[in-house]
Amino acid sequence: LPVPAVSGARLLAWTGGAVTLLGVVMLLVLAASRGWFAPPLRVGGGALLGLALIGLAGWLHHRPTARTGAQAVAATGFATLYLVVAAATALYGYLTAPPALAVALVVAGAGLGVADRWRSQPLGCGVVLGAALLAPALTGDWLLIALVLALQLAALPVVLRRGWPVLMVLSAAPPVFYGALLARTTVDPDAPTLAALVGVLVVGLATAVPAARLLPAEPFARQAVAVLVAASVLPVAVVAPVTGGPGGAALAGGAALALGAV
């Protein structure tokens, strides 16, 4: 794959975006733990910041010399909105899981849609990584798995349309990693946890099938699909022995059948 040159301006833009996201998460977490501001002000302020960054990115994109900065600012803005949705659900209880996941999917889809429109794989990767890497600071149970699965689902149409295997790998890695970690640390998995872990398997394999057909026939893309197929089963494979009994056997057997079908 061609790798874009890493210029000083590009590095500075993306570093600034990462620092901004860290600041947003620290504000949300510290404000919640220390009682700073009222909860509506915390959530509303974060949402306004995300929208302002997206608006600034749109303005910068019209200037050819500022498009690298526009991509970093846009990724920061969409990831900020995504993290605000996670905080509004996990920290403040403003949203229950179903509407929260619907809103998260819309936010992620909008960010990846802009990446598609601007033909910028770094922008898409920035949206996914910014949200996925910092979401554990806000939630750590099955909701975290569901949130990163929403990112993976939102990325799939863009991955297939543009043939971006790097975006596919980066969007598929967090559900597998967080899913395996949750499965490893769960003693008695409840129904939402099992559903989230099975979701990692289903979404991963459902992503790999069209990706194998539509991604470019280059070695990296083929290897990425193979890794996705192999890794998607990991959370279910880890949780099946913990579950034990007929339920654990059904999980392990279902995973084996799904792999065989793919």
Side-chain angles (χ1 to χ4, degrees), residues 225-249:
V225 172
V227 169
L228 176 58
V229 171
S232 297
V233 75
L234 184 59
V236 171
V238 172
V239 82
V242 177
T243 304

Side-chain angles (χ1 to χ4, degrees), residues 90 139-146 178 182 193 196:
T139 181
D141 56 7
W142 64 267
L143 180 60
L144 172 62
I145 313 301
Y178 295 147
L182 179 62
T193 298

Side-chain angles (χ1 to χ4, degrees), residues 98-129:
L101 294 175
V103 174
L105 192 59
V106 169
V107 171
L112 290 157
V114 172
D116 181 23
R117 183 177 178 83
W118 291 0
R119 301 188 179 188
S120 171
Q121 184 170 204
L123 170 54
C125 294
V127 172
V128 169
L129 284 181

Side-chain angles (χ1 to χ4, degrees), residues 199-232:
V200 175
L201 173 66
V202 172
V203 174
L205 297 184
T207 298
V209 171
R213 297 178 178 178
L214 297 178
L215 286 184
E218 56 188 18
F220 179 81
R222 292 177 177 176
Q223 293 165 5
V225 172
V227 169
L228 176 58
V229 171
S232 297

